[in-house]
Amino acid sequence: GESVGLHLPTLSVQEGDNSIINCAYSNSASDYFIWYKQESGKGPQFIIDIRSNMDKRQGQRVTVLLNKTVKHLSLQIAATQPGDSAVYFCAERNSGGSNYKLTFGKGTLLTVNP
Amino acid sequence: NAGVTQTPKFQVLKTGQSMTLQCAQDMNHEYMSWYRQDPGMGLRLIHYSVGAGITDQGEVPNGYNVSRSTTEDFPLRLLSAAPSQTSVYFCASSYSFNGWGNYGYTFGSGTRLTVV
């Protein structure tokens, strides 16, 4: 829980603002990407996913953008709320190797100030 | 529907002791995996299984064994605990990754292990 946030990139926003969390991935063969949210003391929770043949996908208050040219993924959270405070991870699936493994980024700690 | 259940939630071991972390899922998922999470390191894959009777090593398998005798259960065994194995361990499951769809993992709530 609380130890997960140590040494992580951090983002601090005001309640009601929009948040943008970024993730760089390294494998150009990755074909599927997922964003997870991890609250203190809990396991990661699925937020939204996107295939490599898409540039954008929207969910409820969240949008994921994929830029394959620069191998960059972002998660946008609209009207950020205190309950959004958590560590956010991106994950990529490499279609070139085993289809059963995801590689996770180190995460970003989002803090929402009331 | 309990999802992914991990036991115990907390454990303290002495160096050299062995123990088994339990993981069970009730979603009929084919794929199960174990990760460890350390500060600043993200989630690192220890072992995974694509179905009953099939297991394979992940990124950091040394010091750990797994077996998959049933679809539901995927225990992780520490053979001789070392302080370097102090970590938070997560079990995750999903449907097969072959194809498209929501293949996001369902994670358990984790086991906090301390080896002294």
Side-chain angles (χ1 to χ4, degrees):
Chain A
E2 60 280 0
S3 64
V4 170
L6 292 177
H7 315 301
L8 291 177
T10 59
L11 175 65
S12 183
V13 301
Q14 291 299 122
E15 182 177 359
D17 286 352
N18 296 333
S19 303
I20 300 176
I21 300 170
N22 297 304
C23 177
Y25 65 93
S26 57
N27 194 329
S28 57
S30 293
D31 66 346
Y32 177 64
F33 304 88
I34 310 173
W35 278 101
Y36 289 90
K37 172 186 180 183
Q38 186 176 25
E39 296 175 279
S40 180
K42 297 183 180 179
Q45 281 182 290
F46 174 92
I47 302 174
I48 191 168
D49 58 356
I50 188 168
R51 305 175 191 176
S52 59
N53 62 351
M54 304 168 69
D55 297 322
K56 178 179 179 179
R57 190 165 189 223
Q58 288 184 294
Q60 187 176 14
R61 279 202 309 120
V62 294
T63 301
V64 55
L65 299 178
L66 176 63
N67 185 331
K68 293 180 290 294
T69 302
V70 295
K71 291 186 285 190
H72 184 267
L73 196 65
S74 70
L75 177 70
Q76 300 178 357
I77 304 174
T80 313
Q81 302 168 2
D84 294 326
S85 294
V87 176
Y88 290 82
F89 296 94
C90 65
E92 58 183 296
R93 181 182 82 173
N94 180 358
S95 63
S98 165
N99 286 327
Y100 298 97
K101 288 185 280 190
L102 294 182
T103 301
F104 288 83
K106 291 185 170 57
T108 296
L109 175 62
L110 174 66
T111 302
V112 181
N113 303 309
Chain B
N1 190 341
V4 178
T5 302
Q6 287 184 240
T7 57
K9 293 191 183 300
F10 302 92
Q11 183 71 50
V12 178
L13 288 179
K14 294 183 179 178
T15 297
Q17 285 185 316
S18 62
M19 80 159 293
T20 299
L21 308 185
Q22 301 291 345
C23 176
Q25 54 92 7
D26 60 0
M27 298 170 284
N28 202 31
H29 283 169
E30 299 170 328
Y31 179 72
M32 297 185 74
S33 56
W34 277 101
Y35 287 84
R36 60 177 289 172
Q37 187 174 45
D38 302 294
M41 299 291 289
L43 289 157
R44 292 185 292 169
L45 181 65
I46 304 171
H47 285 285
Y48 66 100
S49 168
V50 301
I54 306 169
T55 64
D56 205 348
Q57 295 181 349
E59 180 185 355
V60 288
N62 292 339
Y64 308 95
N65 274 358
V66 291
S67 61
R68 184 95 177 271
S69 57
T70 66
T71 300
E72 295 78 20
D73 299 298
F74 191 45
L76 178 72
R77 283 183 289 276
L78 281 71
L79 307 174
S80 178
S84 61
Q85 293 179 305
T86 294
S87 188
V88 181
Y89 291 85
F90 288 101
C91 179
S93 72
S94 75
Y95 293 109
S96 167
F97 274 13
N98 286 332
W100 298 113
N102 177 2
Y103 294 107
Y105 288 9
T106 299
F107 281 86
S109 57
T111 295
R112 293 181 179 275
L113 176 67
T114 302
V115 183
V116 298

